[in-house]
Amino acid sequence: MSFASDAKAELCQIKIDSKSYAVAQAYGVLLYCNTFTADEIRIITAADAFAQTLPRLFRKAFNVVFDKSPDREAKGKKSFIITDKDKIRTIYSAFDIDAETTPVLHINHGVLEEDGQKIAFIRGAFLAGGSVSDPEKSYHLEMSTTHASVSREAYSILLDMGFSPKETKRSGSSMLYFKQSETIADFCTWIGAPVTALKILNAKVDKDMRNTINRKVNCDSANADKIVLAAQEQLNAIKEIDRVFGLENLPNSLHEAALLRIANPASSISDLAKLSIPPVSKSTLNYRLNKLMALQKKLQETGSGAEPEEGI
């Protein structure tokens, strides 16, 4: 199953004892399903757990059964259909809506007075028209409906409950969505899927840890490259000095620094400083190596055996 299907399966484990909560959840399903009109109700889902609980939800909420239902063993997307006019009127009346005279659907907030009813409504909306991405790939949760007014009113409900979704339109549908992992986890917990929320947070921790390790490896690699490059430049300078002037003619401090670098071509300056006899500070050894670099530059400029100054 997909990550979204797993999330919906967790939500479908919630037992709804109250008829008002069942009505609220079914309300969310209907306003976010494929078709909810005075002529037809059509709910299509690929989530097996949702397909199994949907008939029970409608019996609890409206005491109606679907006119057409898929076989329990059916694979792929499953369709639940009601075309019976009396059943549709019964369902509409549960929300104080006149099926024959209501051209545009809105959320009747009188059905959602309690926080628990609002949660049930949003849960139903997510089950019918929602999806959540696998957090190993991306962070994205959305709910999509063909009713623009419903999407705006659902936005207000979420805002009242402490959530601030983004809004957009896609292929004629209105969509509310979240992109932040912590917000998606909070939303999943709120509608009743704490296990899904924990998976999202764990995925974020793992991803952040991998990113931190990769940054450190890349940083260490870059630093190692810098050390190797600097050491090579120092070795080239030392070879030039030895060819033109002779290392034995260097002051003792510079002579020792040159021999240390030759003997340890890949070591950092800190390591070279510790290998000095007696040990010196990193800044001291760095100063001596820079003196060697400056001497090479002077030899290149003058083309002569210029006398190096006594270093420290």
Side-chain angles (χ1 to χ4, degrees):
M1 289 196 299
S2 68
F3 187 83
S5 293
D6 288 342
K8 292 182 180 182
E10 182 181 3
L11 292 174
C12 289
Q13 294 174 8
I14 298 172
K15 188 176 181 180
I16 303 176
D17 295 321
S18 166
K19 178 180 173 67
S20 67
Y21 280 31
V23 169
Q25 182 158 318
Y27 199 15
V29 169
L30 289 164
L31 291 177
Y32 275 79
C33 72
N34 300 81
T35 305
F36 181 32
T37 68
D39 298 316
E40 180 186 46
I41 293 172
R42 182 186 297 268
I43 304 167
I44 301 174
T45 181
D48 291 338
F50 180 41
Q52 292 172 13
T53 60
L54 195 53
R56 294 197 300 271
L57 176 66
F58 270 57
R59 284 196 299 270
K60 179 78 173 180
F62 314 117
N63 195 29
V64 301
V65 296
F66 288 98
D67 296 329
K68 294 182 181 179
S69 300
D71 294 334
R72 289 183 62 87
E73 303 302 321
K75 302 297 182 182
K77 292 185 177 181
K78 303 171 181 63
S79 296
F80 296 82
I81 301 171
I82 296 176
T83 54
D84 183 275
K85 297 293 185 180
D86 289 336
K87 291 180 181 179
I88 293 176
R89 275 193 292 268
T90 297
I91 292 171
Y92 267 73
S93 65
F95 312 122
D96 293 326
I97 305 172
D98 188 329
E100 306 298 333
T101 62
T102 304
V104 178
L105 289 172
H106 290 271
I107 296 175
N108 180 357
H109 293 279
V111 182
L112 310 176
E113 293 180 343
E114 300 177 15
D115 285 352
Q117 292 168 335
K118 294 175 183 177
I119 294 171
F121 173 83
I122 297 297
R123 184 190 304 128
F126 178 77
L127 285 169
S131 181
V132 59
S133 299
D134 185 339
E136 293 291 341
K137 300 175 182 177
S138 64
Y139 303 124
H140 182 86
L141 183 146
E142 68 179 50
M143 296 188 301
S144 179
T145 176
T146 56
H147 310 293
S149 56
V150 169
S151 187
R152 289 194 299 269
E153 292 154 2
Y155 176 92
S156 297
I157 292 174
L158 289 171
L159 204 60
D160 289 341
M161 303 305 290
F163 296 96
S164 298
K166 302 293 185 182
E167 299 178 274
T168 190
K169 291 187 179 297
R170 184 175 63 198
S171 301
S173 295
S174 297
M175 189 173 73
L176 303 178
Y177 67 95
F178 300 107
K179 284 286 190 182
Q180 298 298 321
S181 57
E182 292 87 351
T183 305
I184 295 173
D186 289 344
F187 177 86
C188 290
T189 300
W190 180 67
I191 62 174
V195 174
T196 299
L198 186 60
K199 289 178 181 178
I200 292 169
L201 294 177
N202 285 340
K204 183 179 188 304
V205 169
D206 291 343
K207 192 178 295 185
D208 288 347
M209 186 177 296
R210 287 196 298 269
N211 290 339
T212 298
I213 292 172
N214 288 337
R215 283 195 298 270
K216 180 171 175 51
V217 168
N218 291 337
C219 182
D220 290 346
S221 177
N223 289 337
D225 290 343
K226 289 179 181 178
I227 290 172
V228 170
L229 180 61
Q232 189 59 52
E233 291 176 348
Q234 292 160 5
L235 285 169
N236 291 340
I238 291 168
K239 289 178 182 177
E240 181 70 10
I241 292 169
D242 188 30
R243 183 182 66 80
V244 175
F245 185 77
L247 295 183
E248 68 278 3
N249 295 315
L250 290 171
N252 288 338
S253 60
L254 299 187
H255 184 243
E256 180 185 357
L259 294 180
L260 273 173
R261 173 49 80 198
I262 292 172
N264 304 276
S267 296
S268 67
I269 293 177
S270 295
D271 291 338
L272 289 181
K274 295 174 185 177
L275 292 172
S276 298
I277 302 175
V280 296
S281 67
K282 176 182 175 181
S283 60
T284 296
L285 188 62
N286 190 52
Y287 174 81
R288 293 174 179 175
L289 291 171
N290 285 338
K291 290 282 285 185
L292 290 170
M293 298 288 289
L295 176 58
Q296 181 221 19
K297 184 177 180 181
K298 187 173 182 181
L299 291 175
Q300 289 176 337
E301 291 173 350
T302 62
S304 64
E307 287 285 339
E309 298 175 2
E310 179 69 32
I312 59 174

